[in-house]
Amino acid sequence: MQASVPTATRIKMNSSQTTSRLVKKSPSVCTDLPLSSLDVRDKLRLMKELLGSCYGPTARLKQVHNNIGGSVVTTSTSSVLLQAITSSRPVIGLIKSSVLNHVSRFGDCGLFAAVLCLSLVEEAARRGVGNSAAIRANDRLLALCTGYLQREDCGCRVELDFCSSRSLIALARTVVSSKPTCVLAEPESAHIGRLAVRAFLLTVPCDAPDPVRLGRTVTVPVEGRPVLESAVFPGLLLDAPEHLCGLAGVRGPVRAVLFSASLAGDLGELGDGRIEVHAGVDTDAQILDRLLELGRQALEDGVKLFVCQKVIHPVLQHYLRCGGLIVIERVGVSLMEPLIQLTGAQPVATLHAAIPSAAYGEVHDVSIRHFGSKTMLHLHPAGETAVCSMVLCHRNETMLNELKLVCQKAEHVLRLTLREPWALLGGGCTETLLAAYVRHKSKNDAPEATSALGCSQTEYLLAAEAFCRSLESVAACLEHDGGASVIDLTHAHHWTLPPDVTEQHLEGGTAATLCGCGALESCRKKKWSYLNSECADFSPAPLSTASPLRQPAVLDSFSAKVNALRVAVETANLVLDVRYVIQDVN
Amino acid sequence: MNGRQHVGLQKVSALAGTLRSSVGPVKNYKFILDEASGESVLVCSCFRIIENLEPRCAVGQLVHETVRAHHKGYRTGSGCLLFIAGAWSRAALACLQRGISVKHIIAAMSEGIDICRNVCTKSSVSLKDLAGMGKRTAAPPRLGLQRSEKPITGASRESAKVHEKCLNARGQRKVRLSRHFCETDDDVSQLPDVAVIAESLSHGCESAMKLAAEAAQMLLKTNKRRTGDPSFDVSKVTTCALPGLPEECACVVDGCVVLLSDERAAVAHVLKHQPLKVALVTGDLSQTYRHLGFKGLPAARVRERLDSSACSEADEWMEKVLKLLLDLEVKLILTTGLASQKVIQHCCQNNVLVVEQVSSSVLGIIAGSTGAVPVGYATQLTEPCVGSGVTLEIWRDLSGCERTPLTAVNISTGGTGGPVTAVITSHIRGKLQVLEDQFWACAHRLHHALKDGALLPGAGATEALCVRQLQKQAECRGVEDKGKTGSAAELYRGVVLQLMAEGLIEYAAAVMVNAGRFSAAEARNFVSENLRDFHSDEIDAGKCLQVVLESGREDGVFSAVKPDEAPTVKIYDNLSVKQEAWTRALDLVFLVLQTDAEIITGTGPETESNLMHL
């Protein structure tokens, strides 16, 4: 029900009026039960299709651009996609912002959260479950899931073994290969996965006192070189200054000074203040004198590396270079923190006082490295610092940008393992397994649940079915090439059948395939069921009973996925709960 | 997603189609007309066409970005890149139409590019072998399987076993490294003459290539003397475009040629033929100039700064700079920025020559060879910053040619690895850009040839080898896999590889059509016929394209091969450029193939009707 004139027409009327007239404010638009609107449902379905088609390693990509000739971003990453989406419907904005918030905190599983949330809303509506019943049932089922995931005997949880890097690499690799925009071949994704783990390990301090502070990985993108030339270095890589010709005379421990104040020779930080200058006083020359004074002090104090976040006056640069210093300007604010960590220097924030001796830092050594057309200055750490640089190479800009995003994601995910040292089976296996578990469990506890929730048993079972179907539909979203998703009826893992292979192939054991996470092999005695088809409920068997059992090759972040599950269900509940939308159309 | 009618791929194909007539050595000029402004440009190379077309759609921009990135690094091969991207887009489309899934297309095409890259590496001819061949001249290397001769051509290595090939490749690399580091004299002398390489890489731009070769030789001479390094550093080359002179006047000059107006030319006349002291300034030559990032004091915030002082300040500054210059005996100032009219005037009066807008790379080279240190402000100059040993020469007086009298002056540093200038001339102003592009393309081809240390058999021979290899793989795979599993991936592989091969055939055919004499259908027939023969390993790989050359020769259009020479495989391509262009083309196809939707943000005018709104 619409209580006022539609938005679009209102805007048109306003713009056609002459400018200087006062326009009476139009009343807010109030929409009753937004989910019952066909338009909203269409939009939710469109969004689900859009995001679902971006899910997984064989996803379809999206080109994000504006239609006035801006740059084109090709991606399937949720953070980029969602940011690009603007909608006239607040419901979509709600989902968007809660998923984006999840991604900013956990880095991964954004698409999972979004697709699951949209499915939950859609399935509940399709099955005609009352909104309030659905909300209460969803809460209960979510608790069931999270409880199961925390259990020792949880079938889809894998303990991470920090003694070997194998499972960490599997985790990183899953993140890396989940974005097809990177166009990585098998050895390339393996290489990047290993690098991500290596960088992560370098940022974990060895014997730091409590509280442990993780270090930083600084990414250096290099376009036009093959992926396999990517590498990780302890220490920092800075763009080498143009006139740096060799490092003659710079050896051994190098004393460094770090300026966060601009040394451009101006008084940039004046704000709106007013200064009075007497006629004939040359402020520029006076500031320059002050700069040279600072330079002389640095020189006398034996500084060999002079770094400034902002611009350095050419005269000062020249003076310092003549003194044999390495001068680097405009490193930018993002590199300052790692530089402080690496050198132990205190950034000097003013040029109106002498440099305190405590401000100086030190690097062990400097060397020059070349990556493609880039020349970089490598600062080697003096002691044990947890700062490292990751050089990422790729053939073109689009792929490189996505690779950068993916590596940041991998770093985030790896860090989360320090708090919760588990991973979840990837490739859709966790989703199908959870669905099977919830389906089985909810049938058993239906009487108890109905009394607790105050709804009918039918309603609860419908809601549970909607919940399971939603989980399964996320797993099914992994397939984009017309294949079918099936689930085996013993372990409830997720399998994909190529379009021209039938179930008989699996049963006959002719198509030797692995399940989504790669832990199980298909064999003759397995029973199968297509996802989203009716099947008898069963309790998934623990993984340890399977033979042959392999090491799962596809692993998802435990923390990110559990939180994504929570965010998805809670956001879906919120959306289901919206009774009115009130929009200010002025 | 529109399933089997992928719009994105069709767009790539269509864009590439506009360039069909611009691949290969014989190109047609195109006019691109801007209907809004009525301006038009004369373009020839694929890069310039795409640049001037400014495609607005998302796919078009992606294409532009790809080509731009390639052009930035290689300056040549953009046409090949785009054509192949178009051809392989059509291949991918055909695959989709046959119901092959995206996943399988990508897997098979990745394998295809690996095959092609391998063929390139294996069939490449190292420069050393080329030198040897040049001496023997007579027996043209056959590109089929061949065991009689020693491993002269890389192609004959094809018959060797895989691990041997690896060893070979590695061994070769070692040799290349040793050239850089050990620089024994005979190692360098084993390289063929630059002119020989140049001739085989000219691809229809003989005059441009002649210039490039001259430039390379000029630099190599000093390079070899100093470091024994046989590479051709393109960054030490600049160009100077002179309108109003006939094209035959183009030449290469040791030094940096700049154009000076009348007033400054007079100063140059005074200063010529004597060693001069030089100062290098990276900023503008004016009192008001401040370096980048300097915010200064906004006038509104400063009280009591009298206006009248501004004028005298400028005078004061001028006086100071002039005194400094005279004290340091600097006679020549090169700046990357601009100089105010006043500064130029004052300098001229004191016989100091100011040259503006020198490129920073030239500034760097001159700094390197004269010992000068570039400074930001002229007032900063001190004794150690000043370089010496620069000489000026009046290269040519162009007073008659142009409305504003200009004199071309050559600034040289005495042949110590200083800059080399290619002077490009034409009566037609619009053609200068084309000629300059051609020069750079040739220079980069030479550069990459020396850097790779190897060349690919050109004139379509490499494409033919790739086609053959792709087809062979397609066939044998098909047979193998029917027995093994019924998996679709294996079956489709053959189809995809075959379609990729057809893309390469299309390319070869397009080159032939452009060379004249052939209609599109004839060219295709000819290429595929030759390929059929080619299967029997009896025919020279270069044969099919030789016919092209011959036909071109008759027309007098195409003179890459001199008529009196034996029909050897005389035409070569760059190894790394070709590999890179193909890889980039396929990457582009992959990105577009995998894309199924555009998300349009912002509030521009909505033109399309099939948009869905969120």
Side-chain angles (χ1 to χ4, degrees), chain B residues 561-575:
Chain B
V561 174
K562 292 193 182 95
D564 55 328
E565 268 177 358
T568 53
V569 187
K570 258 295 188 183
I571 300 189
Y572 289 96
D573 289 340
N574 279 119
L575 172 64

Side-chain angles (χ1 to χ4, degrees), chain A residues 61-63 266 276 395, chain B residues 295 303 587 594 596 599:
Chain A
L61 313 175
K62 305 287 171 277
Q63 289 169 336
D266 52 16
E276 295 195 3
R395 298 182 295 267
Chain B
K295 294 190 193 76
R303 282 211 296 198
D587 283 337
Q594 294 184 87
D596 68 340
I599 297 176

Side-chain angles (χ1 to χ4, degrees), chain A residues 74-143:
Chain A
T74 307
T75 190
S76 62
T77 306
S78 60
S79 51
V80 181
L81 288 171
L82 286 170
Q83 245 138 25
I85 290 175
T86 43
S87 174
S88 54
R89 295 297 176 177
V91 171
I92 288 176
L94 177 73
I95 297 173
K96 170 188 157 180
S97 62
S98 68
V99 173
L100 278 177
N101 182 43
H102 160 78
V103 175
S104 72
R105 286 174 55 212
F106 288 87
D108 197 15
C109 297
L111 286 174
F112 168 81
V115 175
L116 180 59
C117 171
L118 290 161
S119 293
L120 283 168
V121 174
E122 194 181 289
E123 288 283 337
R126 181 189 295 162
R127 277 157 212 282
V129 189
N131 283 356
S132 62
I135 291 166
R136 271 171 286 156
N138 281 347
D139 275 336
R140 190 181 173 87
L141 298 166
L142 172 66

Side-chain angles (χ1 to χ4, degrees), chain B residues 321-335:
Chain B
V321 170
L322 264 182
K323 186 168 180 299
L324 201 57
L325 292 177
L326 295 175
D327 284 351
L328 294 170
E329 296 173 337
V330 170
K331 288 292 175 196
L332 176 65
I333 308 178
L334 304 181
T335 167

Side-chain angles (χ1 to χ4, degrees), chain A residues 60-63 65 67 70 84 87 180 264-266 271 273 275-277 284 313-314 395 398-399 481 500, chain B residues 61 65 103 290-291 294-295 297 301 303-304 380 385 488 587 594-601 604-605 613-614:
Chain A
R60 297 291 173 268
L61 313 175
K62 305 287 171 277
Q63 289 169 336
H65 69 124
N67 54 354
S87 174
D266 52 16
I275 55 165
E276 295 195 3
V277 182
D284 294 354
H313 197 292
R395 298 182 295 267
T398 306
M399 298 174 181
D481 292 311
D500 52 346
Chain B
Q61 283 195 33
E65 185 194 292
K103 199 168 69 185
R290 292 292 179 274
H291 54 272
F294 181 88
K295 294 190 193 76
L297 295 172
R301 288 201 211 143
R303 282 211 296 198
E304 287 186 48
Q380 225 181 308
C385 301
D587 283 337
Q594 294 184 87
T595 305
D596 68 340
E598 287 176 31
I599 297 176
I600 300 167
T601 61
H613 292 274
L614 261 176

Side-chain angles (χ1 to χ4, degrees), chain A residues 294-555:
Chain A
L294 280 179
R296 183 160 32 240
Q297 195 203 336
L299 211 61
E300 279 165 8
D301 289 348
V303 170
K304 284 285 173 205
L305 179 64
F306 194 102
V307 184
C308 181
Q309 181 189 332
K310 295 169 186 163
V311 177
I312 303 178
H313 197 292
V315 175
L316 178 60
Q317 281 193 48
H318 184 73
Y319 173 77
L320 293 170
R321 284 212 182 93
C322 291
L325 273 71
I326 303 171
V327 185
I328 303 173
E329 58 166 353
R330 294 189 233 191
V331 291
V333 70
S334 58
L335 270 178
M336 285 305 277
E337 188 54 40
L339 268 170
I340 292 167
Q341 279 191 32
L342 181 85
T343 57
Q346 291 300 315
V348 182
T350 178
L351 45 112
H352 302 294
I355 308 167
S357 59
Y360 294 116
E362 197 179 82
V363 291
H364 178 248
D365 202 0
V366 285
S367 57
I368 292 179
R369 285 182 189 277
H370 297 276
F371 304 98
S373 56
K374 265 191 183 172
T375 306
M376 316 269 321
L377 195 68
H378 186 180
L379 309 183
H380 300 262
E384 206 255 343
T385 55
V387 179
C388 71
S389 296
M390 190 174 195
V391 178
L392 286 179
C393 306
H394 214 322
R395 298 182 295 267
N396 73 38
E397 197 186 341
T398 306
M399 298 174 181
L400 184 59
N401 283 340
E402 189 85 340
L403 189 64
K404 239 166 32 185
L405 280 180
V406 156
C407 285
Q408 278 160 12
K409 235 168 92 170
E411 186 194 9
H412 205 140
V413 160
L414 287 169
R415 288 185 164 201
L416 291 174
T417 61
L418 291 175
R419 201 164 280 164
E420 292 176 301
W422 301 294
L424 288 173
L425 299 181
C429 289
T430 295
E431 286 86 341
T432 51
L433 203 144
L434 272 183
Y437 173 79
V438 169
R439 192 174 278 133
H440 178 71
K441 206 72 184 167
S442 62
K443 292 234 165 97
N444 293 343
D445 88 340
E448 194 193 321
T450 44
S451 61
L453 302 178
C455 62
S456 76
Q457 189 158 337
T458 337
E459 246 180 338
Y460 177 67
L461 286 179
L462 270 180
E465 189 56 26
F467 189 89
C468 298
R469 284 285 163 93
S470 304
L471 275 173
E472 286 174 344
S473 77
V474 181
C477 268
L478 283 169
E479 174 59 32
H480 304 275
D481 292 311
S485 286
V486 295
I487 172 174
D488 69 282
L489 299 182
T490 29
H491 298 98
H493 276 223
H494 175 239
W495 307 69
T496 322
L497 293 184
D500 52 346
V501 176
T502 57
E503 219 178 314
Q504 280 77 39
H505 279 108
L506 273 176
E507 275 164 15
T510 44
T513 50
L514 298 175
C515 73
C517 66
L520 299 177
E521 249 174 64
S522 71
C523 64
R524 279 167 198 282
K525 55 184 187 244
K526 279 206 170 69
K527 289 212 178 319
W528 309 94
S529 164
Y530 281 99
L531 273 191
N532 288 344
S533 68
E534 295 296 329
C535 70
D537 65 282
F538 66 100
S539 174
L543 205 55
S544 51
T545 61
S547 73
L549 181 63
R550 303 155 144 266
Q551 204 73 32
V554 183
L555 293 176

Side-chain angles (χ1 to χ4, degrees), chain B residues 48-323:
Chain B
R48 294 285 172 208
I49 294 175
I50 283 291
E51 190 190 51
N52 283 295
L53 283 178
E54 288 177 33
R56 288 279 292 276
C57 61
V59 172
Q61 283 195 33
L62 210 56
V63 169
H64 188 188
E65 185 194 292
T66 309
V67 173
R68 196 171 40 200
H70 179 82
H71 185 81
K72 208 175 122 202
Y74 292 91
R75 296 290 186 112
T76 173
S78 301
C80 167
L81 189 165
L82 253 178
F83 192 95
I84 292 291
W88 284 347
S89 289
R90 282 190 293 280
L93 261 176
C95 292
L96 285 176
Q97 274 155 9
R98 290 176 200 205
I100 304 176
S101 70
V102 172
K103 199 168 69 185
H104 291 149
I105 298 174
I106 289 180
M109 283 195 152
S110 308
E111 198 193 316
I113 192 80
D114 285 343
I115 293 172
C116 291
R117 289 187 71 112
N118 272 337
V119 169
C120 286
T121 326
K122 280 180 213 151
S123 61
S124 67
V125 184
S126 83
L127 291 185
K128 273 167 95 178
D129 293 343
L130 199 67
M133 235 147 58
K135 279 164 204 150
R136 255 170 268 179
T137 53
R142 286 175 141 205
L143 284 153
L145 294 179
Q146 180 185 42
R147 285 151 216 272
S148 55
E149 280 185 70
K150 282 179 203 167
I152 283 178
T153 68
S156 61
R157 252 180 254 142
E158 200 178 56
S159 57
K161 280 179 192 165
V162 180
H163 68 271
E164 278 174 353
K165 275 176 219 153
C166 296
L167 283 178
N168 245 341
R170 215 170 290 150
Q172 216 177 336
R173 204 168 301 138
K174 220 186 262 168
V175 171
R176 227 176 292 155
L177 282 177
S178 74
R179 240 178 255 148
H180 281 288
F181 299 123
C182 312
E183 33 128 351
T184 51
D185 268 352
D186 63 30
D187 205 7
V188 174
S189 64
Q190 270 177 15
L191 284 176
D193 190 26
V194 173
V196 176
I197 305 173
E199 194 189 6
S200 63
L201 281 172
S202 67
H203 297 188
C205 313
E206 289 74 30
S207 45
M209 186 48 107
K210 221 181 100 231
L211 285 183
E214 249 178 77
Q217 276 164 331
M218 212 172 262
L219 280 174
L220 279 174
K221 234 188 289 165
T222 51
N223 254 7
K224 265 189 210 164
R225 220 172 28 228
R226 288 166 64 196
T227 59
D229 180 8
S231 72
F232 171 29
D233 188 354
V234 198
S235 69
K236 290 197 171 165
V237 181
T238 61
T239 50
C240 177
L242 291 184
L245 285 175
E247 277 175 41
E248 297 80 58
C249 287
C251 64
V252 175
V253 180
D254 190 3
C256 173
V257 175
V258 292
L259 294 179
L260 296 179
S261 60
D262 225 12
E263 188 185 17
R264 277 183 277 180
V267 179
H269 273 288
V270 175
L271 297 175
K272 65 185 173 189
H273 305 313
Q274 47 178 311
L276 301 174
K277 286 195 173 176
V278 63
L280 309 177
V281 180
T282 54
D284 287 350
L285 276 181
S286 85
Q287 183 250 332
T288 47
Y289 167 79
R290 292 292 179 274
H291 54 272
L292 206 67
F294 181 88
K295 294 190 193 76
L297 295 172
R301 288 201 211 143
V302 182
R303 282 211 296 198
E304 287 186 48
R305 179 167 274 181
L306 297 174
D307 274 355
S308 60
S309 69
C311 162
S312 65
E313 250 175 66
D315 287 342
E316 231 171 75
W317 179 85
M318 191 64 245
E319 233 167 77
K320 191 176 162 193
V321 170
L322 264 182
K323 186 168 180 299

Side-chain angles (χ1 to χ4, degrees), chain B residues 505-506 508-532 544 547-548 551:
Chain B
I505 296 179
E506 260 178 66
V511 174
M512 287 172 70
V513 172
N514 289 344
R517 296 269 302 197
F518 278 93
S519 73
E522 281 167 357
R524 261 201 82 86
N525 267 341
F526 188 81
V527 174
S528 36
E529 247 168 56
N530 270 284
L531 275 167
R532 217 169 298 141
C544 54
V547 179
V548 185
S551 66

